[in-house]
Amino acid sequence: MAATKDYYQSLGIKRDAATDDIRKAYRRLARKYHPDLNPGDKAAEDRFKEIQEAYDVLNDAKKRKMYDQFGFYSDQGFAAGGAQEGPGPGFGFGGFDFSEAFGAGAGAGARGGFGGGGGFSDLFSQFFGRKGEGGPHSGAPAPEKGTDLEYALKIDFWQSIRGAQVRLNIHRLDACGTCRGTGSGGGGSTTCPQCNGSGNVTQMAGAMRFSLTCSRCNGTGRMRNACPRCRGEGRLATDESVEVRIPAGAAEGSRLRVAGKGNAGTMGAPAGDLYITVRVEPHLFFSREGDDILIRVPVSVSEAGLGAKIEVPTIDGKALLKIPQGTQNGQKFRLREKGVFSARKSTRGDQIVEISIQSPDVRDERTRDLLKQLAQVDARDPRAELWAKV
């Protein structure tokens, strides 16, 4: 039997974590281990699948309740590595009346381990239900909203600054067009995909094996009036091109939401959402820090020493910057409101210009003589302060 999975540990959360905490943990880990962000990394792909599996269970109240009770989950209730479909070999408990085993008047000692009162039968009916009672696992499964999808989108620097309309190809479960997501068809029947026509499913709980009536077909083994195209699933895997609007000023790692473009829900339930993580390709000489734009601009020795007015590139074009006399290498100047526009703040950042002094190219004796004269005129030791503090 396979080892029981700890879904809480998979998401790095406590067992009493709230729904919002579960979603935040999932989105954080999904961004980190998404296959699109880790191409060719099998370990990251396996970790992503583990995270997705844990989220699918813990984000659903009914599934989480069952998982918390038994430490594992499956669509039929109990689950373990040895779970099987069909009646299978060995013993089962189908048709066995547990009330007869304990007796109607059995004392608290016989039933106390299960909370008293109803013994095994109450325990099982709590999770599996009895036919006609409408329990959480009786009759047809309840509609469930589709799961969210996470994708990464690479854009260039200028698209992030100015905004753009881009198309993203995604793979998702879409509602079947024939049955409109309901799973029902106009006539005929198909073999139940859950029990393969047997009408029963076999599940393990510890060392015990239970033969349960298939909740998908109610034990008939057939899906009556199932949609022939999706075989009653109500959903079909499809590749879709989604148009995404990148807002001006989108930063690296920012997330966009496209409502209703996640996986379709079951039995006509609403679809989940598509979440897109923005990845910005670096620019040749611009970089970004928050809403500010950073750039290193080379200047000559004479411009730095004597001062000058120079043209520097900005995201809006050229701008004039005054370099004061005696400017030092690495000194920074600020161009107000020449950075990225923030729609949230309704303000623009600044552009920070860092000066990079370029040494002269000494190719003739005249240049060499001029530099020697400069050294004689300005005989200061540029490292004097450094040595004074050693």
Side-chain angles (χ1 to χ4, degrees):
M1 186 180 297
T4 301
K5 297 180 180 179
D6 188 338
Y7 290 147
Y8 291 99
Q9 184 177 358
S10 296
L11 295 181
I13 56 176
K14 297 180 179 179
R15 299 190 71 86
D16 59 352
T19 302
D20 287 344
D21 295 330
I22 294 173
R23 291 173 180 169
K24 289 177 182 178
Y26 164 71
R27 289 170 182 168
R28 173 176 54 81
L29 293 172
R31 287 196 297 270
K32 181 177 180 180
Y33 293 102
H34 198 286
D36 289 349
L37 304 181
N38 301 273
D41 190 338
K42 187 63 168 59
E45 181 180 349
D46 292 342
R47 180 76 172 100
F48 181 78
K49 292 178 180 178
E50 176 188 340
I51 294 165
Q52 184 69 54
E53 180 182 341
Y55 177 71
D56 287 343
V57 173
L58 298 185
N59 193 48
D60 184 284
K62 292 181 180 178
K63 295 179 182 179
R64 184 180 181 184
K65 178 181 178 182
M66 185 175 295
Y67 175 78
D68 288 342
Q69 182 77 13
F70 295 100
F72 34 72
Y73 171 82
S74 80
D75 289 339
Q76 287 75 44
F78 291 103
Q84 305 176 36
E85 294 179 349
F91 64 92
F93 287 94
F96 190 91
D97 187 353
F98 286 93
S99 61
E100 293 179 3
F102 290 104
R111 301 188 298 262
F114 297 96
F120 274 114
S121 59
D122 282 350
L123 176 66
F124 292 156
S125 62
Q126 176 185 354
F127 289 101
F128 304 123
R130 298 183 180 92
K131 285 189 177 181
E133 290 187 0
H137 292 277
S138 65
E144 291 185 5
K145 182 181 177 180
T147 54
D148 297 334
L149 293 178
E150 292 270 353
Y151 271 81
L153 176 63
K154 285 186 179 181
I155 60 176
D156 64 37
F157 177 81
W158 292 113
Q159 286 177 317
S160 74
I161 297 298
R162 299 166 180 165
Q165 291 282 132
V166 298
R167 301 201 72 84
L168 175 66
N169 294 322
I170 64 172
H171 186 76
R172 61 186 291 262
L173 292 174
D174 196 10
C176 175
T178 302
C179 65
R180 297 184 178 182
T182 63
S184 62
S189 63
T190 59
T191 301
C192 174
Q194 192 69 46
C195 64
N196 291 326
S198 69
N200 296 297
V201 289
T202 302
Q203 293 294 323
M204 299 293 295
M208 297 184 294
R209 177 179 295 166
F210 298 88
S211 180
L212 308 174
T213 300
C214 178
S215 61
R216 187 76 176 273
C217 63
N218 289 324
T220 64
R222 305 290 293 178
M223 297 289 292
R224 295 185 181 278
N225 299 321
C227 172
R229 185 180 179 191
C230 64
R231 298 187 62 193
E233 288 290 338
R235 306 184 296 179
L236 293 170
T238 182
D239 292 317
E240 184 175 342
S241 181
V242 179
E243 187 168 303
V244 181
R245 187 183 71 84
I246 307 297
E252 168 74 16
S254 59
R255 299 179 75 242
L256 309 175
R257 173 178 170 266
V258 182
K261 286 301 180 180
N263 287 325
T266 61
M267 301 178 64
D273 299 328
L274 170 63
Y275 288 90
I276 301 170
T277 302
V278 174
R279 297 298 181 213
V280 182
E281 296 178 350
H283 191 269
L284 184 61
F285 47 83
F286 285 125
S287 60
R288 182 174 174 179
E289 190 174 286
D291 294 330
D292 293 338
I293 295 293
L294 284 64
I295 186 174
R296 284 174 59 90
V297 175
V299 299
S300 67
V301 172
S302 59
E303 288 175 326
L306 300 175
K309 290 182 179 180
I310 63 172
E311 286 186 334
V312 297
T314 71
I315 59 175
D316 299 321
K318 296 178 180 179
L320 197 63
L321 176 65
K322 183 178 180 180
I323 304 295
Q325 180 178 323
T327 295
Q328 301 297 310
N329 187 57
Q331 192 169 342
K332 296 179 179 179
F333 298 91
R334 185 181 296 271
L335 295 175
R336 299 288 181 183
E337 297 188 351
K338 291 294 184 181
V340 182
F341 175 76
S342 171
R344 183 173 59 87
K345 303 175 185 175
S346 295
T347 58
R348 287 192 66 170
D350 302 328
Q351 176 162 312
I352 310 301
V353 180
E354 182 179 351
I355 298 301
S356 175
I357 299 176
Q358 305 297 300
S359 299
D361 186 8
V362 182
R363 294 186 178 182
D364 52 39
E365 286 300 320
R366 175 174 169 72
T367 305
R368 187 183 300 275
D369 290 341
L370 288 174
L371 289 175
K372 287 181 179 180
Q373 292 176 32
L374 178 61
Q376 291 174 357
V377 173
D378 187 3
R380 292 177 302 169
D381 182 358
R383 293 169 293 281
E385 185 178 353
L386 175 64
W387 288 111
K389 295 181 179 181
V390 174

